[in-house]
Amino acid sequence: MSGDRRESPPVTGGGNGVVEPEKKPAPVIVPSQRLRLHANKDHMPESYEDLQLDFCPSIFSSLEKYLPPNMLHDSREEKVKFMRDILLKYLPHGERTRVRSNYHAF
């Protein structure tokens, strides 16, 4: 065996000769940045009603009670970004569409 490295050939879509673009990796959540198992009942969550969000603002207010303690004093934008990443990662695409359309119907 020689010590040279060989690049693997590009992956083609079904043998049709078209090179598929690389998929972006999912956002990495740092282990210390995990949601709490139990809600922090003493925490008063912020209101997200005035923001244009992909999900119902009340979801963000509810989810905020489960944020890691070190994030509770972060800006609202930082909290939204973190919670949105989690919701997008775990909520199936069809459910996202349904939640969004139901919210905008009100």
Side-chain angles (χ1 to χ4, degrees), residues 34-60:
R34 290 182 164 180
L35 293 176
R36 301 165 68 112
L37 290 177
H38 303 285
N40 179 347
K41 294 178 180 160
D42 296 330
H43 177 68
M44 293 299 296
E46 297 191 50
S47 172
Y48 296 93
E49 296 291 331
D50 62 321
L51 300 177
Q52 292 287 330
L53 302 167
D54 295 344
F55 304 96
C56 178
S58 62
I59 292 174
F60 289 91

Side-chain angles (χ1 to χ4, degrees), residues 12-25:
T12 58
N16 62 7
V18 176
V19 177
E20 295 177 357
E22 291 184 29
K23 294 183 179 181
K24 294 181 181 178

